Amino acid sequence: MTLYRPSLARIFMAIKEHVDLKPYTYFKIGGEARFLSEVKNIEELKEAVHFAKEHNLPFVVLGAASNILIADSGYRGVVIRVLLRGIQRDGTRLVVEAGVPDAVAVRRSLDEKLSGFEWAIGIPGTIGGSVRGNAGCFGGEMKDVVERIRFFDARSGVVEEKDNAFCRFAYRESVFKHSTHLIILSVTLSLHERDPDTSQKLVRKYSSLRSDAQDIGSSSAGCVFKNVPWPDDEKKRARLLWLVPDLAEFSKFPTIPIGFLVDHLGLKGRKIGNISISKKHGNYLINNGGATAEEVIMMIGMIKEYIHRKFDLYPEEEIQYIGFD
Ligand SMILES: Cc1cc2nc3c(=O)[nH]c(=O)nc-3n(C[C@H](O)[C@H](O)[C@H](O)COP(=O)(O)OP(=O)(O)OC[C@H]3O[C@@H](n4cnc5c(N)ncnc54)[C@H](O)[C@@H]3O)c2cc1C
C-alpha cells in the first residue's frame, strides 16, 4: 500500500493506493481498490471526488460495507469511505452524519430520552447506507424517521438539503440508489420523547430476536435478496398457495420472504466452495473463510434458478455490486 498525495495544495488529504478491501467489508470478500480515501468532513469528501474527476476515474462511496459485494478484481477507481461521525440534538430530532453507525445513533437517542429508532439497533450499517437502501426491520424503516436530508451533488459540486418526499422511499429503495452522484452527508431523524426504560426494553427485545434468527458475528452481507412481491396475477398467486399452503401466513404482506422459499426448497446449508447458505436464515450467505465473489455470484445464480423454476418468481438482489462493470 502506498500513500498518494494529489498535490501540495491538497497535502492534508492522503489517498492510499492499491488497498485490499476485504478487511473493510462485512463479507470479507473482494479485491483491491486502485485508490482509497477515508473522509472525515465535507472538505475531504469534495477533495476525494475532485481527485477522481481529475484522474478521470469512477468513484464509489462506502459506509460500513455491510450490504455490498466487491468483485475479486477489486475496484478500478476511488473508493471513498464516509467517516463523518457527528450527532447533534435539535428539539426532538437528531441530526446524524452519514458515517455514524445505526447502533450509535440508537444509543444516542436513548441517552437523549428520544424514541422511534430502537428497531435499528442490530443493523450493522451507517446512517448514509441505511437511507440509501431504506433499511428496515421489525416493522420500522428509514422512511418513517427521516425528516430532512443533506447531500453533496458530485456533478454540480453543490450541497443541498431536501425533505423526506425528495427521497422517494419505497421497499429497500430511494432516489439515492438511482443517483450515485448524490452523496448523503447527514440526516435529520424525527423522534419523540419517551422514558428510556421502555426504549431500553425494546432494544433488548430486538437484539434477542435478531440473535435467535440470524448469524451474528459471521462474515455475511445480511439479506442477499429483497423479499419478492406477490404476483399481481390471481392465477399465479393461487398456484403459489396451492404449491406451498404455508405461504398463506404472508398473504397479508406485500412480499414473500426469500428466506422462507429457500428453506422450503431445502437449500439451507448448501455450499459452493467456501460460501454457504446460512442454516439459520435462508437469505444470508456465509463466507466460511476465503470465499470469493465468484462463488457468491454462482450461489446467487443457483438460488434464482431454483426459485424461478419452482415458483415462477424472480428475486432481485438487495446487495449492491461494486467493481463488476
Ligand atoms: C448481519 C447483518 C444484518 C443486517 N440486517 C439488516 C436489517 O435488518 N435490515 C436491513 O435493511 N439491512 C440489514 N443489513 C444490511 C445492511 O446492514 C444495511 O443495508 C445497511 O443499511 C447498509 O449500510 P452500510 O453503511 O453498510 O452501506 P454500504 O454497504 O457501505 O453501502 C451500501 C450502498 O449504499 C451506498 N452508500 C453508503 N453510504 C452512502 C452515503 N453516505 N451516500 C450515498 N450512498 C451511500 C454505497 O455506495 C452502496 O451502494 C444487515 C447486514 C448484515 C451484515
Side-chain angles (χ1 to χ4, degrees):
M1 184 196 301
T2 51
L3 281 187
Y4 190 95
R5 293 201 186 281
S7 74
L8 279 179
R10 294 197 291 278
I11 197 127
F12 294 111
M13 192 195 59
I15 290 191
K16 294 173 194 157
E17 205 174 352
H18 297 299
V19 182
D20 180 12
L21 290 170
K22 278 187 204 69
Y24 293 95
T25 70
Y26 270 74
F27 229 162
K28 303 287 176 259
I29 293 176
E32 282 187 351
R34 173 76 169 87
F35 293 104
L36 174 78
S37 172
E38 303 190 295
V39 300
K40 296 193 184 68
N41 53 52
I42 170 83
E43 284 72 32
E44 289 181 359
L45 174 64
K46 285 180 178 173
E47 282 297 323
V49 170
H50 181 82
F51 175 86
K53 282 186 182 171
E54 207 173 43
H55 292 82
N56 213 10
L57 290 168
F59 70 85
V60 67
V61 169
L62 284 190
S66 64
N67 205 207
I68 52 155
L69 177 67
I70 295 175
D72 296 322
S73 55
Y75 185 71
R76 68 181 180 86
V78 183
V79 172
I80 303 175
R81 285 188 78 214
V82 174
L83 302 179
L84 284 74
R85 295 254 161 98
I87 309 184
Q88 273 190 331
R89 182 175 181 153
D90 171 18
T92 55
R93 301 175 188 88
L94 282 186
V95 183
V96 186
E97 287 194 316
V100 172
D102 290 4
V104 171
V106 173
R107 291 276 165 220
R108 177 65 180 268
S109 69
L110 264 60
D111 291 347
E112 299 285 348
K113 301 187 175 59
L114 293 174
S115 174
F117 198 42
E118 295 88 342
W119 53 268
I121 187 67
I123 298 184
T126 60
I127 290 290
S130 298
V131 166
R132 183 184 187 272
N134 186 24
C137 53
F138 306 119
E141 276 181 296
M142 292 309 292
K143 73 172 173 54
D144 305 324
V145 285
V146 170
E147 186 175 298
R148 297 195 69 75
I149 189 138
R150 259 179 90 241
F151 57 86
F152 173 62
D153 183 333
R155 267 189 207 150
S156 64
V158 172
V159 172
E160 292 198 58
E161 186 164 343
K162 297 281 184 189
D163 62 8
N164 179 301
F166 172 86
C167 300
R168 295 211 301 274
F169 286 122
Y171 170 62
R172 299 295 175 270
E173 280 293 334
S174 80
V175 70
F176 298 98
K177 257 195 172 172
H178 309 281
S179 320
T180 48
H181 60 290
L182 303 182
I183 304 172
I184 299 161
L185 298 173
S186 68
V187 177
T188 303
L189 301 178
S190 172
L191 306 171
H192 54 271
E193 279 172 352
R194 187 184 222 175
D195 85 280
D197 287 348
T198 313
S199 293
Q200 199 59 259
K201 275 186 201 143
L202 274 178
V203 162
R204 275 200 294 271
K205 182 177 110 182
Y206 293 142
S207 303
S208 95
L209 283 172
R210 194 174 272 276
S211 57
D212 289 348
Q214 296 173 6
D215 303 82
I216 308 293
S218 305
S219 302
S220 87
C223 286
V224 169
F225 297 102
K226 295 177 184 177
N227 290 330
V228 67
W230 280 96
D232 292 331
D233 182 340
E234 269 312 316
K235 275 191 196 148
K236 280 192 173 180
R237 201 181 162 102
R239 179 177 170 272
L240 275 175
L241 288 164
W242 171 76
L243 276 173
V244 191
D246 286 351
L247 275 177
E249 71 172 288
F250 306 110
S251 54
K252 59 178 182 295
F253 300 111
T255 57
I256 303 170
I258 291 290
F260 177 91
L261 299 178
V262 169
D263 194 10
H264 180 82
L265 289 164
L267 295 176
K268 277 180 166 178
R270 188 71 70 94
K271 278 188 176 173
I272 294 182
N274 290 317
I275 204 86
S276 60
I277 302 177
S278 160
K279 289 183 182 159
K280 263 190 171 181
H281 192 310
N283 201 357
Y284 274 42
L285 299 185
I286 308 294
N287 175 0
N288 299 302
T292 62
E294 201 183 338
E295 289 166 355
V296 175
I297 298 291
M298 284 194 278
M299 186 65 98
I300 286 175
M302 187 199 81
I303 295 171
K304 280 184 171 179
E305 178 75 12
Y306 267 89
I307 290 181
H308 175 228
R309 279 187 184 211
K310 175 86 182 186
F311 305 114
D312 196 19
L313 295 170
Y314 295 88
E316 240 182 62
E317 286 87 330
E318 180 177 317
I319 53 166
Q320 305 296 303
Y321 292 111
I322 292 180
F324 287 86
D325 41 46

